[in-house]
Amino acid sequence: MAKKVHEVWKGNNIFFLGGRLIFGPDARSLLVTLLLIIVPVIIFCVFVARHLRHEFSSYNAGYAILVAAIVFTIHVLVLLLLTSSRDPGIVPRNSHPPEEEFRYDTSASVEVGGRQTPSLQFPRTKEVMVNGLPVRVKYCDTCMLYRPPRCSHCSICNNCVERFDHHCPWVGQCIGLRNYRYFFCFVSSATLLCIYVFAISALYIKILMDDHHSTVWKAMKESPASVVLMAYCFISLWFVGGLTGFHLYLISTNQTTYENFRYRADNRINVYDRGCLNNFLEVFCTKVKPSKNDFRAFVQEEPQRPPPMHTSRDAEAEDNTGDDRRMKVEDDLDIGGDLLKISQRHNIEDIEADIRSRGSDVPHHNSSEADSVLGSDRRTPAVQSDARHLSWGRSGSWEIANEGNYANPKEAHQ
């Protein structure tokens, strides 16, 4: 049975509801964030807002304080869910490197079979044009692609993310092209929620002081929950408030957190800055691009790739291989010929020794015949070498044996 994309996903993400929701590997930290938001609001509603329902008699305005706190909290939680449960802009990884970027590096050669062969290399960077200016992009070995401009590989999620800002552990997700808008709205809304809870808690203490004509210390003892909420919101404002201000600066200059920290000391020209107003419009008033990944789709079997085209380099390598094979054959033929000559020489020496031993019995005129026989034997190796060459082509190996027929002395005498 075919599997779906989220079932064979190579990143470190966690999926829910059949691939409808995607989280980072640290999604458990999202529970901590939920508690940090929900628990203080519950305390606020029970111990502060509930007592203010009848403090404003006209149109029961006191209920508005309680309703506003609940609605605002739901708004913050929805933004948190939109930030942490959606595709941040993951670039689909390739199943094989881009062949059009292959190149041979002759300087980094590899010795194979005693020969130096050029190694296959990828250019680590290449330049693309952004707003009329060249921008260098890097090759990602994990995703096997050249990252688009402003894209970076998140080591926690193990994905390349477009317009990568940072990986936020509080939301358990990368912040990138498709969820940065919701992330900023979540942080800024959390800041406003902290201010709201802090202000209403301080207002409740002021009402207690006026009702009992007491000091602030007595009012604080009367409502310790208000004191705790004020302290909690004050500390939280340093984080979410500072983060809101920092991202306002980044949006106005069209930077990401990653670019600001990495290239701060380089004094580079920001090719993405289009002016403060246009930068804000780009973040908040442009349509969110659709995801490049369909996590619920079935995995498509990759078609078989056609065999690579033979290039001049491949032809040259084949020619070199053919030359090596021809040299190997010629060496084998020379070795076989030498062995054959040695065997023929031994046979000739035996014939000459036999003729000398029979010198008294053989007439003088037969020496010329013997010489002619010896001359024919000396010419035999060339003929037999050709015969051995043919037999080598059939069997693929050499058989060192005397295949020639030699005339013995008796036949030469006759």
Side-chain angles (χ1 to χ4, degrees):
M1 183 178 179
K3 294 184 177 181
K4 293 187 176 182
V5 174
H6 70 88
E7 296 176 343
V8 296
W9 187 251
K10 294 182 179 180
N12 299 330
N13 301 91
I14 301 174
F15 296 89
F16 291 98
L17 301 179
R20 291 178 175 86
L21 302 179
I22 174 175
F23 297 90
D26 50 351
R28 294 182 179 179
S29 61
L30 184 62
L31 299 176
V32 178
T33 304
L34 290 174
L35 292 176
L36 292 176
I37 296 174
I38 295 175
V39 172
V41 172
I42 292 176
I43 295 175
F44 172 78
C45 293
V46 173
F47 295 100
V48 177
R50 184 172 62 89
H51 299 292
L52 296 175
R53 290 176 299 170
H54 306 292
E55 291 296 332
F56 305 95
S57 57
S58 60
Y59 303 104
N60 292 324
Y63 285 95
I65 296 176
L66 181 61
V67 173
I70 296 174
V71 173
F72 210 175
T73 303
I74 294 175
H75 170 71
V76 172
L77 295 179
V78 170
L79 291 174
L80 175 61
L81 183 64
L82 289 174
T83 303
S84 60
S85 65
R86 67 186 292 126
D87 178 7
I90 299 174
V91 181
R93 64 182 66 193
N94 293 330
S95 57
H96 53 80
E99 294 182 353
E100 63 273 9
E101 301 294 342
F102 280 160
R103 73 175 183 180
Y104 289 90
D105 188 4
T106 57
S107 61
S109 58
V110 179
E111 184 173 354
V112 178
R115 298 176 57 202
Q116 294 290 331
T117 58
S119 61
L120 192 62
Q121 297 288 334
F122 279 102
R124 305 306 304 170
T125 60
K126 70 177 183 179
E127 288 188 350
V128 297
M129 300 302 294
V130 177
N131 296 330
L133 296 175
V135 175
R136 182 176 297 177
V137 296
K138 296 181 179 180
Y139 178 78
C140 179
D141 294 312
T142 303
C143 300
M144 291 185 287
L145 52 83
Y146 283 96
R147 302 168 187 161
R150 314 190 84 175
C151 175
S152 182
H153 189 90
C154 176
S155 59
I156 300 175
C157 294
N158 196 24
N159 296 312
C160 280
V161 180
E162 288 187 287
R163 201 185 184 277
F164 178 77
D165 191 87
H166 69 287
H167 183 94
C168 182
W170 296 104
V171 302
Q173 182 63 283
C174 288
I175 308 302
L177 177 66
R178 300 188 67 251
N179 64 348
Y180 179 78
R181 177 187 306 177
Y182 303 107
F183 170 76
F184 177 80
C185 291
F186 161 70
V187 173
S188 57
S189 298
T191 302
L192 294 178
L193 181 60
C194 287
I195 295 175
Y196 177 79
V197 172
F198 182 90
I200 299 299
S201 298
L203 176 63
Y204 182 55
I205 292 178
K206 179 66 171 61
I207 292 175
L208 290 177
M209 291 174 58
D210 295 340
D211 291 344
H212 299 87
H213 302 284
S214 60
T215 62
V216 63
W217 297 108
K218 291 183 178 181
M220 292 173 63
K221 290 180 180 180
E222 186 73 19
S223 178
S226 298
V227 178
V228 173
L229 288 174
M230 291 175 63
Y232 175 78
C233 292
F234 179 78
I235 296 173
S236 298
L237 276 173
W238 283 98
F239 293 96
V240 293
L243 199 59
T244 300
F246 176 66
H247 279 279
L248 282 173
Y249 162 73
L250 293 180
I251 295 173
S252 64
T253 56
N254 206 331
Q255 297 183 69
T256 64
T257 303
Y258 178 81
E259 293 168 349
N260 181 266
F261 279 87
R262 186 180 181 93
Y263 306 119
R264 179 184 300 174
D266 292 350
N267 295 324
R268 294 187 178 184
I269 298 176
N270 187 2
V271 299
Y272 308 104
D273 190 2
R274 302 167 55 191
C276 182
L277 178 61
N278 291 327
N279 293 336
F280 273 93
L281 293 176
E282 178 182 337
V283 173
F284 297 106
C285 299
T286 56
K287 184 179 179 180
V288 178
K289 294 183 178 180
S291 174
K292 295 182 178 179
N293 303 277
D294 188 1
F295 301 109
R296 302 180 61 198
F298 289 99
V299 178
Q300 301 291 333
E301 293 184 1
E302 185 178 1
Q304 294 184 355
R305 299 166 60 191
M309 300 294 293
H310 289 284
T311 60
S312 59
R313 187 181 300 275
D314 297 333
E316 181 180 353
E318 292 178 358
D319 293 340
N320 294 334
T321 304
D323 293 339
D324 293 341
R325 290 178 179 175
R326 286 192 292 271
M327 292 175 62
K328 180 68 169 57
V329 172
E330 292 174 358
D331 293 340
D332 291 341
L333 290 174
D334 293 339
I335 294 172
D338 293 338
L339 294 174
L340 183 60
K341 291 178 181 179
I342 293 172
S343 63
Q344 294 295 335
R345 184 173 59 189
H346 289 310
N347 292 332
I348 294 171
E349 291 174 356
D350 292 340
I351 295 172
E352 291 177 348
D354 193 7
I355 291 174
R356 292 191 186 96
S357 64
R358 299 170 181 267
S360 59
D361 297 334
V362 180
H364 180 74
H365 66 277
N366 289 340
S367 61
S368 61
E369 296 178 2
D371 294 337
S372 63
V373 172
L374 294 176
S376 63
D377 290 337
R378 290 189 177 91
R379 291 191 299 271
T380 302
V383 178
Q384 290 181 347
S385 176
D386 294 337
R388 288 182 179 274
H389 182 270
L390 295 175
S391 66
W392 182 88
R394 296 187 187 95
S395 62
S397 62
W398 286 100
E399 296 178 1
I400 308 302
N402 295 329
E403 297 179 358
N405 295 325
Y406 299 99
N408 54 37
K410 292 181 180 179
E411 292 175 350
H413 176 70
Q414 295 176 355

